[in-house]
Amino acid sequence: MPLNHVNVALVLALGNAVLLPRVPLLANHALTVTLGIAITIAVLAAGRRAWVDAGMGTAVAAILGFARVRWPDTDGLLLVLITTAILAFVFLNLTLLIGPWSRFFRPRFVRLMKHRRHVGVVSLLLALTHVNIVLSSYYNNQVPLALMIGSNVFGAASIYIIELLGLTSWDWAQGKITLRWWGVIHILTLLPYLGLLGLGWRGGGLTPLEKIILVGIAVWWLWLAPWRVQHFAHRTPNGWRQLHLLVYAAYLSVVVHIWRGVVGNRPLSTQVVFWLPVVFVVGSHAIGLFLKYRQQAVRRAAASAVPPPTVTAVRPPQTPS
């Protein structure tokens, strides 16, 4: 049986994310270990001719190597923490750009649609590495303690939603889960988010605006529920799509998390570098939605302009008297 490079990559990356900050031997060689795993994943993908996966593994390895050369005296675990955070944000932006850009540039970018899931999973695995290092190194693995800081509440919200999307991205989930069960999953998965919101609310680290944003995400979650779409929007939901529209809530949470936690206190140049991709992603989706609704309007206008078919009466043949 040929080696499934995707499963191997998931095991290696998840194992690294969980064990790296918690095993002293791995933590002392954090950058070397993470770099080796990225290279291994790239080589395995190249062996299976999965060139996009190989390219992403190579890119992660190259950035980690550059970080070590550029900052040779910095602790390796800290370098991994920072590098994985930046790369996770980059890959999340790329994931969100594939959709609208496949509409703008057909058929070239349409080919990337089949890789969008893998790009999103890479973002998730990098984010999990970052989260585990932060949680273990700074908060002694105590989630309530971490949620006393407002930026961490948004970070936790984003990683929870992206984990949820990752767990439901398998072909089996899309093909086997019925619409009724998607409705159940949609509501049940909201409950942990509400629990996270409650912990963050009691922590006292949230501003009034941040509380409004977090409550708005809960409302958006309910608004996307399949039963609401079916009964109130008069459309046929497929369940999977409604759940995965939560990626926009995750993206908003990531933006607030980065701005509140790091970038908001940095120089103007750093703030500009941060906001440029955000504006580009939001602008791309806004243009994509505009083009979509314009095309729908054109089709509706064309359909209404076609005159209905006329029915000519056929006179029955007359019989001779």
Side-chain angles (χ1 to χ4, degrees):
M1 180 182 294
L3 189 66
N4 188 321
H5 76 278
V6 175
N7 291 339
V8 174
L10 286 173
V11 171
L12 289 175
L14 285 173
N16 185 64
V18 174
L19 299 177
L20 188 70
R22 297 178 174 89
V23 178
L25 180 62
L26 297 178
N28 292 335
H29 303 86
L31 195 136
T32 303
V33 171
T34 307
L35 178 61
I37 289 176
I39 293 173
T40 302
I41 292 173
V43 170
L44 289 174
R48 300 293 296 169
R49 298 184 180 275
W51 301 117
V52 172
D53 294 347
M56 290 189 290
T58 302
V60 171
I63 297 299
L64 287 169
F66 170 78
R68 170 48 73 205
V69 173
R70 177 64 179 82
W71 295 280
D73 299 326
T74 304
D75 178 70
L77 191 62
L78 179 60
L79 278 180
V80 174
L81 183 153
I82 297 171
T83 305
T84 52
I86 295 173
L87 287 174
F89 185 61
V90 169
F91 279 106
L92 179 59
N93 281 288
L94 292 176
T95 305
L96 290 171
L97 283 173
I98 290 175
W101 278 64
S102 64
R103 179 183 294 273
F104 302 155
F105 300 102
R106 295 177 180 268
R108 180 174 299 177
F109 275 83
V110 173
R111 297 190 211 114
L112 294 177
M113 288 293 290
K114 63 181 180 181
H115 302 292
R116 181 168 60 174
R117 183 191 308 177
H118 283 199
V119 180
V121 170
V122 170
S123 175
L124 169 60
L125 293 171
L126 290 165
L128 282 173
T129 305
H130 168 76
V131 168
N132 275 278
I133 294 174
V134 170
L135 194 59
S136 178
S137 302
Y138 296 95
Y139 300 103
N140 196 26
N141 295 311
Q142 298 182 32
V143 175
L145 180 62
L147 293 180
M148 294 183 69
I149 299 176
S151 63
N152 290 342
V153 178
F154 283 92
S158 63
I159 197 66
Y160 170 67
I161 294 173
I162 296 174
E163 281 180 341
L164 176 61
L165 304 188
L167 290 172
T168 56
S169 288
W170 300 93
D171 292 335
W172 182 90
Q174 298 182 41
K176 299 295 184 181
I177 299 178
T178 63
L179 181 59
R180 176 177 295 180
W181 277 108
W182 276 119
V184 173
I185 291 170
H186 198 103
I187 298 303
L188 287 182
T189 52
L190 173 62
L191 300 180
Y193 173 80
L194 294 177
L196 182 153
L197 180 58
L199 287 174
W201 207 283
R202 290 193 305 172
L206 296 170
T207 66
L209 177 59
E210 289 169 346
K211 290 180 179 179
I212 292 172
I213 294 173
L214 290 168
V215 172
I217 290 175
V219 173
W220 171 247
W221 205 308
L222 287 172
W223 183 265
L224 293 173
W227 56 266
R228 196 215 68 85
V229 173
Q230 189 170 17
H231 294 289
F232 293 95
H234 305 293
R235 289 187 288 127
T236 302
N238 64 9
W240 180 87
R241 174 173 172 76
Q242 277 70 54
L243 189 68
H244 279 245
L245 285 174
L246 290 172
V247 68
Y248 299 116
Y251 188 67
L252 174 61
S253 298
V254 169
V255 170
V256 176
H257 167 66
I258 298 173
W259 176 259
R260 173 85 186 273
V262 180
V263 178
N265 299 320
R266 295 302 174 92
L268 179 61
S269 58
T270 303
Q271 296 179 9
V272 171
V273 170
F274 166 72
W275 282 111
L276 280 177
V278 175
V279 172
F280 190 68
V281 167
V282 174
S284 297
H285 278 266
I287 295 172
L289 283 174
F290 171 75
L291 294 176
K292 174 184 176 181
Y293 288 123
R294 190 177 68 173
Q295 290 171 359
Q296 291 177 348
V298 170
R299 285 196 295 266
R300 285 195 298 266
S304 62
V306 176
T310 58
V311 180
T312 57
V314 179
R315 298 179 61 185
Q318 296 181 355
T319 57
S321 57

